[in-house]
Amino acid sequence: MLRTTAATFLAIAVYSFFVLLFSPPPKSYYHSLFISNSLSDNVSISHHLYTLTRRPHVAGSEANAEAASYVLSTLSACNIKAHVVSYEVLLSYPDSRSLTLTPSPSEPPITFDLKQEIYEGDPYAAVAREVLPTFHAYARSGSVTGQVVYVNYGRVQDYETLKEMGVNVTGTVVLARYGKIYRGDIVMNAFDAGAIGALVYTDRKDYGGGGGDAKWFPDDKWMPPSGVQVGTVYNDSGDPTTPGWASTEGCERVSMDELESSGDVPLIPSLPISGADGETILRSIGGQTAKDDWQGSKDSPTYRVGPGPGVVGLDYKGKQVFATIQNVIGVIEGEEEPDRFVILGNHRDAWTFGAVDPNSGTATLLEVAQRLWKLQRKGWKPRRTIILCNWDAEEYGLVGSTEWVEENRELLSSRAVVYINVDSAVTGAGFRASATPQHDDLLKQAAQQVQDPDNSSQTIYEQWVRSGASPLIGRLGGAGSDYAAFLQHIGVPAANMQFGTGGYPVYHSMYDDYIWMETFGDPMFRRSVGVASVWGSVALRLADEEFLPFNYHSYAFEIQKLAEDLEKEVSGKGITFSPLFKSIEELAKAATKINSQKKEIKEAKGWTSMWRNDHNRVRELNDRLMMAERAFTDPDGLLRMPWYKHLIYAPSRHNAYGSTTFPGIDDAIDSAKNLNTAESWNLVQHEVWRVARAVRHASLVLNGDLT
C-alpha cells in the first residue's frame, strides 16, 4: 500500500514537472500583452477609418459592398476564417422631395433647396454627389399641405402640453426638433395626434453650439446650418417583410398592405430638414409663445406654437427595393470549448461617410482582430470560440444583425455566451458603457487595466468614475444598436461601449467624415485604441477564463431597487409586487449559491484533482451562468411589441431609443393611468406576475436543479 502511494505521488511529481516545463504561458500573460503598447496601433486604426470612409456607403450600395470586401480581406489577412452572409431585404431610398413655405397669405411661397452645403476646401467634394438626398428611410410617400404647429421634441408629453394650451394639431404639419426620442416615434406620435405630415429639424441649441458666436464644422465640431440628420423611421427590427424570420432565398414575405397595417411603418409623410430651414419655418409660426424650455438658443427667433399662419407643402416620394446586404463573419475557433461563442459586433453601413457612426467602430473591430492575430502568432489559443461580426443595414433598423440572429436562433440560444457591441467607438472624450448587470464587475475590472488615452496618469476606470456618470454603467433597454436581437429577442447577455459621453453634433449628416473625426472626435486615434483595449480585454476574459466571470448578485440588486420604485408609483391602486419581490429574493439566493459552488470547485483543485475530471462540473456551472439570461425572456413577447421577448430590458413603447426596465409593467401602468379602469389595472398586475415568473425561472436555471 505504501509503495503504491509513493509511486502515485512520484508519478504526480514527474507529470507536474513536465507540465510546468512545457506548458505555454498562462492566459493572463496574453491578456496583459493584448493591452500593451507593443500590440496596439493607432496608425493602423487611422488607416482603416480613412479607407472605409472614402465614399458614402449606404446599405445596398456598391460602395458598401466594397467596404465589406475590405473588412473581409483584413480579417483573412489576420488568418481568421471569414465569410460573407448575404440577405435580400427591403430597403428604402428617396425618389423625389420638395418643401415649400407660404409664410402668410400676403407673402410669396419659399421653396427650400434641401441640400447640405459643401464647405470650401472640402476634400470629399468630388464624391459628395454620392450622398443620398436627405430623407427618412421607410417614410410614407405622399403630398400634404397644412398649417404648421411647433411641437418641441414631439414627445407624448409635448402633445399633452399643447392640448393644455388649447392647440389642435389635427390636420396640420408638425415641426419637431431632433433629440430626446427616436425619430420614428416623433413621426408616430405626430400621426397619433392627428397630424398629416411631420418635419424634423436640427436645432442650433442642441447641435449648433448654442448660436451666438459659435462656429461650426470645419472650424468647430458643431453642425453647419445646412446640416441634416437623416435616418430611419421604421419602428421594428430587421427586414420589414420578414417579421420574426430570416430573409433567406425564396422565403415567405408579408405584402406591402400587411406591412402598412402592422403599425411599424409611418402612415404620414415626413422629412428631415436643416436647422436653417427649421428656423425659417419657425419665423412663420404665430399663436401662443412656447414655454421657456421649448425655446431655442439666445439669438434664435421666439418660438411660437401656431397653428400657422405659415403653411407648408410637403411632397415626398420614396422607392422601396429589395437589395442585397452583406454581413462579414470571422471565426477564431476555441480549443477546448469550440461550441461556446463569444461574439463581438459592429455595423459597417452608413448614411453618408460614417466616420463616427459606425466606422470608428469598424476600424476598432479590425484593430481587435489584428491584435488577436498577433497573440495567435505568439501561441495563444482561445478556450471558447470568438466570432467577429460586421453587420450591414443597421441604419435601416438593425437589419443585418437581426436577420442573422433569426436565421441562427437555435444555435445562438444554446451556444452564445455573450454579445459585445461597439457601434460608434468614439464620439469624443470620456468612456461609457452599458450592459446587462452580470457584466458590471467585469467591465470595471477591464477599464482598470487600460490607461486613459487623454490622461496617462490615470486609468480609463478612474476617468470614468470621476466623470460623475450616474449610473456608472447604463442598461441596454433601448433598441439603438445591434445588441437588440441578441439580448431583447433571444436573451443573450450583452454589453456596449464607446468613448464619448453624449451624442455628437454632425450625427447622420454629410459632415460625419474622416476630417471631423481626425480634428474633433479622436485627433490621435488614441481613444479608439482605448476602446479596442477594453473591448478585447472583456472578450478575452469571457473566451479564456475557466469560469465565466458573471455575477448575478448585481442583477438581483438592480431589479430589486427598480421594482421598489415601480411599487411606489402605483401605491394605492391595489397592485401587489410581493410575487416579484419573492422571485428577486430567490434570484439573490441562487446567485450566492452558484458563486459558492464556483469557489468550492476552485478550492478543490489541487494535486488530487489531476486525476479527477472537473471539466464536466465547470462546464455545467458555466452553462447555468450562460443560460440564466434566456430565462428573462417570454415567448409571447411584449404587448404590442411581440418581437421583443425580454421582460427586464426592452425599449419604451413611445421611444425606441429609451431604455425601460420592466417594459411590460411600465407600459401597462402608463395605459392604466390614462384609462383608469379595473381591467387596465388588472393588466398591470398580470404583467407583474409575468416578470415574477421570469425571474423565478432565472433562479431555477442558476440553481441547476429540477423542482
Side-chain angles (χ1 to χ4, degrees):
M1 182 68 180
L2 289 173
R3 289 179 182 175
T4 303
T5 303
T8 300
F9 278 107
L10 178 62
I12 292 173
V14 171
Y15 174 80
S16 301
F17 172 77
F18 281 101
V19 166
L20 291 171
L21 186 64
F22 296 107
S23 289
K27 293 292 176 71
S28 59
Y29 163 78
Y30 295 110
H31 298 180
S32 297
L33 190 60
F34 181 87
I35 62 175
S36 68
N37 291 333
S38 63
L39 260 65
S40 62
D41 192 346
N42 60 330
V43 175
S44 177
I45 292 175
S46 171
H47 172 73
H48 290 317
L49 186 65
Y50 179 79
T51 303
L52 288 162
T53 60
R54 285 181 298 182
R55 296 171 61 191
H57 48 286
V58 71
S61 67
E62 177 189 347
N64 200 38
E66 291 174 358
S69 296
Y70 178 78
V71 172
L72 180 69
S73 65
T74 304
L75 293 179
S76 299
C78 295
N79 201 31
I80 294 173
K81 295 178 182 177
H83 63 282
V84 170
V85 181
S86 299
Y87 299 99
E88 294 293 314
V89 302
L90 184 72
L91 299 181
S92 162
Y93 303 101
D95 193 18
S96 64
R97 316 153 302 144
S98 69
L99 181 65
T100 61
L101 168 68
T102 304
S104 69
S106 61
E107 297 178 80
I110 300 167
T111 300
F112 298 100
D113 67 10
L114 304 177
K115 292 181 179 178
Q116 301 185 81
E117 295 176 2
I118 297 171
Y119 61 88
E120 186 177 350
D122 184 354
Y124 295 101
V127 292
R129 58 183 173 77
E130 296 180 25
V131 175
L132 288 176
T134 52
F135 79 117
H136 281 151
Y138 303 114
R140 186 177 183 86
S141 296
S143 181
V144 295
T145 301
Q147 289 188 318
V148 190
V149 172
Y150 170 57
V151 297
N152 197 25
Y153 293 106
R155 300 166 295 183
V156 171
Q157 58 263 44
D158 293 327
Y159 286 100
E160 291 172 351
T161 297
L162 288 170
K163 187 176 180 180
E164 291 169 1
M165 296 173 70
V167 177
N168 185 5
V169 177
T170 303
T172 68
V173 176
V174 302
L175 177 68
R177 53 180 172 179
Y178 272 117
K180 308 300 182 185
I181 66 171
Y182 168 57
R183 73 188 71 80
D185 290 308
I186 294 175
V187 180
M188 196 68 71
N189 292 343
F191 171 77
D192 290 342
I196 58 174
L199 302 171
V200 191
Y201 79 101
T202 304
D203 198 296
R204 274 192 291 164
K205 182 179 180 180
D206 299 311
Y207 297 90
D213 297 328
K215 297 179 180 180
W216 52 80
F217 185 69
D219 298 315
D220 207 332
K221 68 179 182 178
W222 303 106
M223 177 82 93
S226 70
V228 179
Q229 180 194 137
V230 302
T232 187
V233 288
Y234 179 48
N235 279 297
D236 208 342
S237 297
D239 180 354
T241 67
T242 59
W245 63 92
S247 298
T248 53
E249 185 177 355
C251 69
E252 176 189 11
R253 296 184 185 272
V254 301
S255 68
M256 294 301 172
D257 288 341
E258 290 173 304
L259 177 56
E260 288 192 1
S261 65
S262 69
D264 294 326
V265 292
L267 298 177
I268 57 174
S270 67
L271 193 69
I273 61 174
S274 69
D277 292 347
E279 280 201 8
T280 299
I281 295 172
L282 280 162
R283 294 178 192 277
S284 77
I285 300 176
Q288 300 174 64
T289 302
K291 296 167 57 180
D292 288 347
D293 59 352
W294 287 38
Q295 296 295 326
S297 53
K298 290 181 292 186
D299 57 343
S300 294
T302 298
Y303 292 3
R304 299 180 182 275
V305 296
V311 173
V312 297
L314 166 62
D315 185 89
Y316 174 75
K317 183 179 180 183
K319 52 186 177 183
Q320 318 272 34
V321 300
F322 283 99
T324 301
I325 63 169
Q326 298 176 310
N327 295 334
V328 182
I329 311 294
V331 179
I332 304 173
E333 189 168 306
E335 186 176 35
E336 297 170 61
E337 297 184 76
D339 60 342
R340 291 292 177 264
F341 306 152
V342 172
I343 307 171
L344 285 67
N346 151 269
H347 76 96
R348 181 186 65 258
D349 65 296
W351 288 119
T352 61
F353 296 97
V356 175
D357 182 11
N359 297 131
S360 62
T362 313
T364 304
L365 181 71
L366 296 179
E367 163 74 0
V368 170
Q370 289 175 322
R371 289 199 216 175
L372 294 178
W373 172 52
K374 293 172 185 176
L375 289 187
Q376 286 182 290
R377 292 169 65 187
K378 293 180 181 297
W380 167 80
K381 295 179 182 179
R383 178 188 181 95
R384 303 178 184 93
T385 294
I386 296 177
I387 303 177
L388 306 174
C389 303
N390 186 229
W391 311 115
D392 202 350
E394 186 268 0
E395 296 292 4
Y396 277 84
L398 317 179
V399 179
S401 58
T402 297
E403 299 311 307
W404 192 75
V405 169
E406 288 175 344
E407 182 173 28
N408 297 285
R409 181 186 291 113
E410 281 67 34
L411 272 179
L412 292 171
S413 294
S414 61
R415 299 183 180 185
V417 172
V418 66
Y419 175 74
I420 317 169
N421 189 70
V422 170
D423 191 315
S424 302
V426 180
T427 65
F431 182 78
R432 63 173 176 159
S434 300
T436 44
Q438 71 271 51
H439 293 112
D440 287 359
D441 293 344
L442 175 60
L443 284 167
K444 293 173 186 175
Q445 291 160 9
Q448 287 167 357
Q449 301 302 312
V450 181
Q451 185 182 81
D452 177 12
D454 295 312
N455 183 351
S456 60
S457 68
Q458 64 181 4
T459 65
I460 286 178
Y461 178 74
E462 288 169 326
Q463 170 273 311
W464 190 10
V465 171
R466 288 170 182 164
S467 71
S470 182
L472 185 65
I473 299 175
R475 298 302 171 217
L476 296 173
S481 195
D482 291 300
Y483 53 77
F486 289 90
L487 173 63
Q488 297 161 1
H489 188 58
I490 63 171
V492 173
N496 186 76
M497 64 189 71
Q498 71 173 67
F499 252 86
T501 55
Y504 65 104
V506 297
Y507 175 64
H508 282 193
S509 76
M510 189 175 78
Y511 308 105
D512 180 5
D513 61 19
Y514 181 85
I515 302 302
W516 190 95
M517 175 59 86
E518 183 184 45
T519 308
F520 302 111
D522 196 5
M524 297 297 293
F525 295 94
R526 290 174 181 154
R527 293 169 184 161
S528 299
V529 169
V531 174
S533 294
V534 178
W535 194 8
S537 294
V538 171
L540 283 170
R541 287 191 58 188
L542 287 161
D544 283 341
E545 290 195 5
E546 184 177 23
F547 294 93
L548 291 176
F550 288 170
N551 183 0
Y552 277 88
H553 270 300
S554 299
Y555 228 125
F557 177 80
E558 169 130 338
I559 61 178
Q560 172 74 23
K561 179 179 178 298
L562 293 166
E564 289 171 358
D565 292 342
L566 276 180
E567 184 184 40
K568 293 173 186 174
E569 189 177 342
V570 296
S571 177
K573 299 296 183 180
I575 306 299
T576 176
F577 274 70
S578 58
L580 179 53
F581 289 131
K582 181 181 178 182
S583 293
I584 294 170
E585 184 180 355
E586 292 175 1
L587 179 66
K589 290 178 180 178
T592 299
K593 178 181 176 181
I594 199 167
N595 287 347
S596 298
Q597 291 171 338
K598 187 191 301 186
K599 183 179 179 182
E600 178 187 324
I601 297 173
K602 285 181 177 179
E603 290 176 348
K605 286 182 174 296
W607 292 100
T608 56
S609 69
M610 293 178 187
W611 306 106
R612 293 204 314 264
N613 184 6
D614 284 333
H615 173 77
N616 290 339
R617 291 184 68 196
V618 173
R619 170 90 166 185
E620 188 272 338
L621 185 145
N622 281 335
D623 282 352
R624 286 186 272 145
L625 289 167
M626 179 181 78
M627 297 301 292
E629 188 75 49
R630 315 286 199 271
F632 292 125
T633 63
D634 187 300
D636 294 334
L638 298 175
L639 188 66
R640 303 187 193 91
M641 298 191 298
W643 186 85
Y644 295 98
K645 311 292 185 186
H646 208 285
L647 299 189
I648 310 298
Y649 298 112
S652 163
R653 192 159 62 88
H654 294 291
N655 179 16
Y657 283 170
S659 178
T660 303
T661 306
F662 304 131
I665 301 174
D666 195 63
D667 284 342
I669 290 173
D670 282 347
S671 179
K673 285 180 177 179
N674 289 328
L675 298 174
N676 201 26
T677 62
E679 183 181 4
S680 64
W681 287 110
N682 285 340
L683 180 59
V684 174
Q685 187 65 73
H686 170 67
E687 290 295 334
V688 172
W689 275 109
R690 273 224 296 169
V691 175
R693 287 191 289 270
V695 174
R696 181 170 184 269
H697 291 158
S699 304
L700 291 172
V701 172
L702 285 178
N703 282 326
D705 297 321
L706 292 172
T707 58

